[in-house]
Structure formats: C-alpha cells, structure tokens
Amino acid sequence: MSGKEAGGSADGARGGQVTVADVQELIRRKEELEEQIRANFAVLDGQKGVGMNEPLVDCEGYPRADVDLYQVRTARHNIICLQNDHQAVMKQVEEALHQLHARDKEKQARDLAEAQQEAASAGLAPGPGPHTPQAFAKVGSVSAGSPASKAGLQVGDEIVEFGSVNTQNFQSLQNIGTVVQHSEGRPLNVTVLRSGQRHQLRLVPERWAGRGLLGFNIIPLQR
C-alpha cells in the first residue's frame, strides 16, 4: 500500500464531518498495515535471520550466497514503505479522535446552555440531567508503582474521559490503546467518577518496571 493510498479516505473525511465509522476504518487499515509489516519481517527471519541493517555482501565484498538477495531487498523496501504508511495512518487516527472529541464538547456545551436557559425560563435551578457526562469504563486493577498509580487512579474509578476518548466516541479498548500509543511521555487528562464525585487526573503513559505504558486494567461499561 502506498502513502497516497494510506491517506486517501482520511483526506476525504477531513473534507466533511469525521464520524466514528471513519475512525473504525482508519483503525482497520492500521491493523492491516501492521499485519503486512509482520509478514515482511517474517520473510527476513526466514533468510537466516537477516534484519533491516545486516550487510548483504561477504567479507570480500561479494554478494552473499547464503540468502535470497532479491527477497531480502524487496522485504526491506516493503517494510520501509509500510512503516511510513502506518505512521501516516496513526496520525490520521489521532486527528480524527481529536475532531470527534472537540465536536462532542461543543454539543455538550450547547445542550447545557439550552438546558440552563429552559430551567431559567421555568424558574428552576438546573440540576444533573441527561446531559451529565457518563462513564464508559471502570478501573479493575492498578499495579503498584505504575504510571496509573502515580496519577492517583484507584480500583473502582469510573472513567468519564480519557484524553480525547469519552462516552460519545468510545467503541472499544482499542480507542484507549490508540490514544496511549500517541501520548507516551506526554500527560493525558483523565476524568473519573469516584463515590459520585468528579476527579481530574493527569496520567503520563511511560515505560516502567511492569508491562505496558499504564499499569492498570479497565473494564468497559455496558450502556
């Protein structure tokens, strides 16, 4: 797949309103690229474990006779092209998620303003209603010493917002994974409900002694 092909539908999406379906399509293409990259690395592994940088000539400067030079060069070229496409698609996913998030924020603000205006017209104080943000996932476990633990996340916290992901655009845990991949070393704003109270936390995905970049497990909530 070429870089032009990788950017095609996303450019079309940017020309109008980005939808959840657009994001799902980008994620599907990202996974396809990752599978193709793995397949080409497997070709290199099959050539006596040749990687991306090993020389293809022997100590005397002659082409190596123990590997298929055509296959190795082709696989290396494919991997470079596919990795460039993958990087472009990942950027498009992030931009699309941010657009969805911004649009949802604007809609929530409009809905709240309308609710307050209606309440004022009726002589009532606005209270929590259908426009109150709802949680889409719950924290199942938090590892000691992890980035999640340092940020103050606790077991039982209900997640309302995780970076650009919220109830309106959350589809699966893949949404969280995509945001985390693009935010390593950078703080994410996380909003949780704890004992009925909202808490704003700053979580920095980073490498630590345990697995992954977060060190916690979340469970999607049925809506």
Side-chain angles (χ1 to χ4, degrees):
M1 178 183 295
S2 68
K4 182 177 180 181
E5 290 172 333
S9 67
D11 290 339
R14 284 197 293 268
Q17 290 287 334
V18 174
T19 66
V20 173
D22 292 329
V23 176
Q24 291 174 332
E25 173 63 15
L26 286 169
I27 291 174
R28 184 190 65 78
R29 287 166 48 207
K30 176 190 77 74
E31 292 172 346
E32 286 181 352
L33 288 169
E34 291 170 348
E35 179 60 32
Q36 293 177 40
I37 291 171
R38 286 192 293 269
N40 279 276
F41 270 114
V43 172
L44 295 182
D45 289 339
Q47 293 293 323
K48 298 186 181 300
V50 172
M52 293 293 291
N53 302 309
E54 286 78 7
L56 299 182
V57 295
D58 59 23
C59 59
E60 296 181 354
Y62 292 102
R64 289 176 56 176
D66 60 332
V67 297
D68 186 325
L69 298 180
Y70 177 79
Q71 277 196 349
V72 171
R73 291 194 179 104
T74 300
R76 286 178 172 180
H77 173 76
N78 289 344
I79 288 170
I80 292 172
C81 293
L82 289 166
Q83 287 177 334
N84 289 337
D85 289 347
H86 184 267
Q87 184 178 4
V89 170
M90 292 295 284
K91 182 178 180 181
Q92 291 163 14
V93 170
E94 183 177 21
E95 291 175 352
L97 287 174
H98 283 308
Q99 288 185 42
L100 285 177
H101 180 60
R103 196 160 70 239
D104 289 337
K105 284 283 190 182
E106 292 174 1
K107 182 179 184 302
Q108 290 174 13
R110 289 196 302 269
D111 290 345
L112 179 59
E114 291 175 1
Q116 290 174 336
Q117 185 175 4
E118 291 175 359
S121 300
L124 301 173
H131 304 300
T132 302
Q134 300 296 313
F136 61 83
K138 185 175 183 179
V139 177
S141 65
V142 179
S143 300
S146 67
S149 176
K150 293 178 182 178
L153 278 167
Q154 298 180 11
V155 174
D157 284 350
E158 295 186 348
I159 301 176
V160 175
E161 292 181 340
F162 190 98
S164 58
V165 180
N166 56 34
T167 302
Q168 281 70 38
N169 59 31
F170 175 78
Q171 295 294 317
S172 70
L173 294 180
Q174 178 67 45
N175 301 142
I176 299 293
T178 299
V179 171
V180 171
Q181 289 177 19
H182 282 83
S183 303
E184 182 174 356
R186 294 184 294 172
L188 284 171
N189 292 321
V190 179
T191 303
V192 302
L193 294 176
R194 183 182 300 160
S195 301
Q197 298 295 318
R198 288 170 62 94
H199 295 267
Q200 297 282 349
L201 307 175
R202 288 174 68 82
L203 172 61
V204 181
E206 59 187 356
R207 304 291 174 181
W208 61 293
R211 296 178 58 186
L213 300 176
L214 300 177
F216 82 130
N217 171 260
I218 61 175
I219 304 167
L221 296 175
Q222 293 185 348
R223 291 174 289 169

